[in-house]
């Protein structure tokens, strides 16, 4: 690049020309074509432009790399600053609320000390506040009339808003609702703020000033959040009502500010009035004086009753600040996903009310708290649903499971945890790519499944350590998961008609992985045996039929001739194969040079039968005992019957002696090896194989018959 740019300063001139403000690409190409002598000049100029382009790209890349760290640090500082500003705004809002509450408390105290002063102050502060009962009734009637007039314009809310003496309209106005996810305009609404609730109504298209009921939200469960302006989206605020949220846009910044202030003020007044009501209910009431009794024995009973105070006379103090703020604190914890904090508050309340009598204020408080408990339970249930992200493994569910258990929902936590893990295991199996050899896929499948099962079992033991009743549910889940694994396993191994040796290796791998579960005391070997027994039986019988057909085909072409292996290497290879099959005395059946004093059919049958037995023993478990034994007997009978029939039908003395030698090899060498290997693999002898070996002829053939029974 330096060479191409350094030729006569062409690179620097070209750079300045391309960087000039009035550069026109069309004119430049036209001028270049006229000045060039031929194709070679154009190619060289093209190379210079290409080199300049690469140099510019490298320079830009270096600049980006140099400034990348500064970009990251700046973004982090902005994020920190935004967080601090939010915290500062929250602190200032809390301080403002505290100061207003203190001021109002001081004014109330002054009013109690001097009622006349309080009346004058109230009259000056609020011209609508009456000084007499008549004025109070007139003001109350005016508020009710205004509320009734406005609500007559809203269809469908008459039954939802029962007329009560204390309900009145505080504020109302038009708003525009936006979608919380895509910030798209949804509809125009009209909001009515009352002293205890917020009514949202949609405008009717064909009737001016008429509305239809949309939603009603109690102020106790309503949270107001200011939305920062982000043009063109501005003058917005959000209302949080678990489990939903809605975003509204005011007409301008002034109206938005009024909405935020009046909502907060109304919520605060509502909380104060509720607090005063609870304080009034908590005050001890004088007990009615019982009528005097003329019974002289009542005096002793009265003295005993005075010594033991009644539980009904005990007053529960619900005026504590943390109890008053408990419902709102629970809403905040749920909205901020602070599940542990919410459950801690519930435990604190339950501990406080454990030994307290159940009075009417306690019941009302319990009703509010129970509603939050249902909301919290719904959120935790959603956290454990399979629709959520399944990443993170079993530990990702620990937080929600532990809080559900603390809420007394152990059964539901167990059910949801196992459903979540079942979906995760199924997804992991589906994501496995079926490629390459079957054995490689089975290794991956077993690793994914049994690792997930082991992790799930350990996490289950950690989460439900004190809930022994849930372990039976885990065993049922493990069985169903194992069935899902076996379906995928069988589809790949048995349905695709793999060889018996491949199937045996795959089953062996599955058994070895299954034994890993014994580390945590979970043995599912019997389940995998029960689920695989049908497929393994089918594989054994299918391979048995293949061996029988191959043996019959060789028998039909049998000439009863000695084998000539032609080379010493081939003879050595055959000796090694026979030794691996368990035939240790094969040398006594070898002759001079490369001859073997056995027929090709008998030797091939021996190798095929021993290979079948070795692979079948890898698949063996007690349920397959009779299937394996019967298959072996059928295979051996085909060869023995053929030898017996040939021995009776052959007339040539030399061939007859050769057949007898092959029969001796079968009876005295092959059958004992099969019997011994079967007993080693199974652990007990097989009477059918013993009878087969001890009989001199396994099937009597009619001497006059010339037809083979096979």
């Amino acid at each position: 690049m330096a060479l191409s740019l350094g030729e006569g300063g062409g690179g620097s001139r070209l750079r300045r020309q391309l960087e000039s403000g009035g550069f026109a690409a069309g004119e430049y190409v036209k001028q270049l074509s006229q000045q060039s002598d031929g194709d070679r000049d154009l190619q060289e100029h093209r190379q210079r432009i290409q080199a300049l382009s690469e140099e510019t790209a490298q320079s830009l890349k270096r600049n980006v790399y140099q400034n990348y760290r500064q970009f990251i640090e700046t973004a982090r500082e902005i994020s920190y600053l935004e967080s601090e500003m939010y915290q500062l705004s929250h602190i200032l809002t809390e301080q403002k609320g505290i100061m207003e509450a203190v001021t109002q408390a001081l004014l109330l105290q002054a009013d109690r000390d001097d009622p006349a002063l309080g009346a004058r102050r109230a009259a000056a502060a609020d011209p609508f506040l009456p000084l007499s009962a008549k004025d109070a009734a007139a003001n109350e009637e005016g508020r009710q009339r205004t509320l009734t007039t406005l609500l007559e314009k809203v269809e469908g809310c008459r039954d939802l808003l029962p007329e009560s003496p204390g309900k009145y309209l505080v504020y109302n106005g038009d708003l525009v609702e936006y979608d919380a996810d895509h910030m798209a305009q949804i509809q125009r609404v009209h909001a009515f703020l009352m002293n205890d609730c917020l009514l949202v109504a949609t405008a009717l298209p064909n009737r001016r000033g008429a509305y239809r009921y949309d939603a009603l939200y109690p102020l106790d469960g309503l949270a107001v959040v200011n939305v920062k302006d982000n043009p063109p989206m501005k003058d917005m605020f959000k209302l949080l009502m678990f489990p939903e949220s809605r975003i509204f846009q005011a007409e301008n910044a002034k109206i938005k500010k009024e909405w935020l202030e009046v909502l907060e003020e109304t919520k605060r007044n509502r909380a104060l009035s509720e607090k005063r009501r609870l304080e009034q209910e908590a005050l001890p009431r004088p007990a009615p004086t019982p009528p005097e009794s003329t019974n002289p024995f009542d005096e002793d009973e009265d003295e005993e009753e005075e010594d033991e105070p009644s539980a009904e006379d005990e007053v529960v103090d619900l005026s504590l600040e943390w109890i008053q703020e408990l419902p709102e604190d629970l809403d905040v914890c749920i909205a901020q996903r602070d599940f542990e904090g919410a459950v801690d508050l519930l435990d604190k309340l339950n501990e406080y009310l454990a030994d307290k009598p159940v009075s009417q204020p306690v019941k009302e408080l319990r009703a509010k708290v129970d509603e939050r408990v249902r909301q919290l339970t719904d959120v935790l249930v959603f956290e454990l649903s399979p629709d959520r992200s399944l990443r993170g493994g079993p530990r990702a569910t620990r937080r929600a499971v532990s809080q559900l258990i603390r809420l007394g929902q152990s059964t539901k936590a167990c059910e949801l945890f196992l459903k979540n893990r079942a979906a995760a295991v199924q997804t992991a199996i589906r994501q496995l790519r079926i490629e390459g050899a079957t054995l490689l896929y089975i290794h991956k499948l077993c690793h994914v499944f049994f690792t997930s099962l082991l992790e799930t079992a350990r996490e289950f033991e950690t989460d439900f350590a004190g809930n022994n009743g849930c372990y039976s549910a885990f065993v049922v889940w493990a069985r169903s998961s194992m069935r899902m694994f076996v379906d995928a396993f069988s589809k790949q191994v048995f349905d695709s008609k793999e060889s018996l040796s491949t199937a045996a290796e795959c089953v062996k791998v599955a058994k070895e992985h299954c034994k890993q579960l014994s580390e945590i005391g979970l043995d599912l070997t019997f389940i995998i045996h029960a689920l695989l027994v049908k497929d393994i039986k089918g594989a054994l019988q299918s391979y048995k039929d293949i061996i029988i057909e191959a043996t019959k085909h060789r028998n039909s072409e049998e000439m009863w001739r000695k084998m000539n292996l032609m080379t010493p290497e081939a003879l050595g290879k055959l000796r090694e194969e026979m030794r691996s099959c368990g035939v240790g005395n094969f040398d006594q059946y070898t002759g001079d040079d490369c001859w073997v004093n056995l027929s090709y059919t008998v030797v091939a049958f021996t190798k095929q039968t021993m290979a079948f037995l070795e692979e079948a023993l890898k698949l063996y478990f007690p349920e397959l005992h009779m299937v394996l034994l019967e298959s072996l007997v059928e295979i051996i009978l085909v060869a023995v019957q053929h030898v017996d029939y040939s021995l009776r039908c052959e007339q040539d003395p030399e061939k007859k002696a050769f057949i007898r030698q092959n029969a001796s090899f079968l009876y005295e060498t092959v059958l004992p090896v099969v019997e011994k290997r079967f007993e080693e693999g199974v652990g007990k002898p097989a009477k059918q194989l013993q009878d087969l070996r001890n009989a001199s002829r396994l099937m009597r053939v009619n001497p006059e018959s010339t037809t083979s029974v096979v």
Side-chain angles (χ1 to χ4, degrees), residues 171 237 250 252-263:
Y171 194 80
F237 60 92
N252 51 50
K254 179 182 178 182
I255 296 179
K256 170 189 173 181
K257 182 179 179 181
E258 291 178 358
W259 269 110
L260 293 176
E261 291 178 351
V262 75
L263 279 168

Side-chain angles (χ1 to χ4, degrees), residues 421-488:
R421 295 313 305 154
V425 172
Q426 188 174 10
T427 302
I429 291 177
R430 286 179 179 176
Q431 289 177 350
L432 280 178
R433 299 182 61 183
I434 303 175
E435 58 182 1
T438 300
L439 186 58
L440 179 61
Y441 171 79
I442 294 301
H443 272 288
K444 294 180 180 179
L445 176 65
C446 292
H447 175 73
V448 168
F449 175 76
F450 286 102
T451 301
S452 299
L453 196 63
L454 188 62
E455 291 177 352
T456 302
R458 287 172 175 167
E459 185 63 25
F460 187 90
E461 191 174 10
T462 301
D463 294 344
F464 299 92
N467 297 275
N468 296 330
C470 297
Y471 280 84
S472 57
F474 176 78
V475 174
V476 173
W477 174 84
R479 181 181 180 85
S480 64
S481 299
M482 186 66 75
R483 186 177 292 108
M484 178 179 60
F485 163 76
V486 170
D487 288 343

Side-chain angles (χ1 to χ4, degrees), residues 28 58 91 148 155 159 222 292 394 407 421 443 472 477 481 520 602 636 647 657 702:
Y28 176 75
Q58 291 294 332
I91 292 171
T148 304
E155 295 181 357
D159 298 334
L222 188 68
E292 295 183 1
L407 290 174
R421 295 313 305 154
H443 272 288
S472 57
W477 174 84
S481 299
I520 58 172
V602 173
I636 294 172
L647 191 61
N702 187 351

Side-chain angles (χ1 to χ4, degrees), residues 158-196:
R158 176 63 62 183
D159 298 334
L160 297 173
L161 286 174
E163 295 185 3
S164 58
K167 187 184 296 292
Y168 58 88
L169 183 68
V170 178
Y171 194 80
N172 71 94
D174 291 326
L175 298 170
V176 180
E177 183 176 6
Y178 280 78
D179 182 74
D181 296 327
H182 307 291
M183 298 306 292
Q185 182 174 336
I186 300 177
Q187 59 185 348
R188 300 188 67 85
V189 301
H190 194 89
F192 298 90
L193 177 62
M194 284 155 275
N195 59 323
D196 60 347

Side-chain angles (χ1 to χ4, degrees), residues 636-655:
I636 294 172
L637 276 175
V638 173
V640 171
Q641 289 171 359
H642 175 67
V643 171
D644 282 352
Y645 177 76
S646 299
L647 191 61
R648 291 185 62 83
C649 295
E650 185 60 54
Q651 302 298 325
D652 187 354
E654 185 175 349
K655 280 191 176 183

